[in-house]
C-alpha cells in the first residue's frame, strides 16, 4: 500500500488496523493530524502484533511541505515518534526541498541516485519477495 497526504493517512491506518495484511507500506506527506488519535489507538490495540510484524513501513515528509511549514501539521513526526517509542520497526525520511505535491515526492532523487518513485517500487518488490 502506498499513499500520499490523506492517502498516507489511509495506508498507515490499514497498517495499524490490519498488521501483516500488506507486504509493505509507504506514507508520503502524512499531514492529516486529525487521524493521529485514532491511529495511535489502533497501534496500541495491536502493539504486540506490530512489534513482531515484519511488514516494512516507510514514512516520508518534505522539508518544504506547505502543511508543515504554514499550518504546523505534525502527523509524520508524531507517527514516527509513536513508532519509535513503541519499538515498531519503520524508516522515516525527511526529503530536502520536497513540497507537498505528489510529484515532488515521486520525482525526488533518492540516496540511491534514482527517482524516489522508482525507489518505492523497488522497496515494494523487495518486500513482496521476502514474504
Amino acid at each position: 500500500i502506498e499513499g500520499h497526504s490523506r492517502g498516507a493517512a489511509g495506508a498507515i491506518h490499514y497498517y495499524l488496523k490490519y498488521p501483516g495484511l500488506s507486504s509493505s507500506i509507504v506514507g508520503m506527506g502524512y499531514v492529516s493530524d486529525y487521524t493521529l488519535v485514532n491511529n495511535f489507538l489502533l497501534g496500541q490495540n495491536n502493539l504486540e502484533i506490530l512489534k513482531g510484524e515484519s511488514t516494512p513501513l516507510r514514512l516520508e515528509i518534505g522539508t518544504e511541505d506547505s502543511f508543515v511549514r504554514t499550518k504546523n501539521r505534525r502527523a509524520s513526526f508524531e507517527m514516527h515518534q509513536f513508532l519509535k517509542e513503541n519499538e515498531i520497526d519503520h524508516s522515516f525520511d525527511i526529503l530536502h526541498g520536497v513540497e507537498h505535491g505528489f510529484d515532488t515526492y515521486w520525482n525526488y532523487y533518492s540516496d540511491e541516485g534514482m527517482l524516489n518513485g522508482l525507489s518505492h517500487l523497488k522497496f515494494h518488490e523487495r518486500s513482496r519477495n521476502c514474504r
Side-chain angles (χ1 to χ4, degrees), residues 5 8-9 12 29-37 39-40 59-61 67-68 72-83 92:
S5 194
I12 293 164
Y30 177 39
V31 293
S32 305
D33 290 6
Y34 56 89
T35 66
L36 283 169
V37 171
N39 279 340
F40 291 158
L59 302 174
E60 298 175 341
I61 192 70
F67 288 95
V68 174
N72 198 32
R73 299 280 183 88
R74 307 293 304 158
S76 288
F77 300 98
E78 290 189 29
M79 181 55 65
H80 164 62
Q81 191 61 37
F82 171 82
L83 296 167
F92 179 57

Side-chain angles (χ1 to χ4, degrees), residues 18-114:
Y18 304 109
L21 181 66
S22 300
S23 60
S24 55
I25 308 288
V26 174
M28 299 171 281
Y30 177 39
V31 293
S32 305
D33 290 6
Y34 56 89
T35 66
L36 283 169
V37 171
N38 188 44
N39 279 340
F40 291 158
L41 288 172
L42 290 172
Q44 286 295 332
N45 289 343
N46 291 314
L47 190 56
E48 292 309 311
I49 297 168
L50 289 162
K51 280 184 169 184
E53 180 55 45
S54 61
T55 299
L57 171 63
R58 183 172 170 176
L59 302 174
E60 298 175 341
I61 192 70
T63 60
E64 303 305 311
D65 192 298
S66 59
F67 288 95
V68 174
R69 292 173 54 92
T70 64
K71 297 182 180 182
N72 198 32
R73 299 280 183 88
R74 307 293 304 158
S76 288
F77 300 98
E78 290 189 29
M79 181 55 65
H80 164 62
Q81 191 61 37
F82 171 82
L83 296 167
K84 184 177 171 184
E85 287 173 0
N86 287 287
E87 300 175 348
I88 299 169
D89 192 33
H90 70 288
S91 67
F92 179 57
D93 297 311
I94 299 173
L95 308 180
H96 181 72
V98 170
E99 299 173 2
H100 188 71
F102 173 79
D103 60 326
T104 64
Y105 283 91
W106 196 261
N107 293 316
Y108 177 81
Y109 275 89
S110 73
D111 291 340
E112 298 173 332
M114 70 173 62

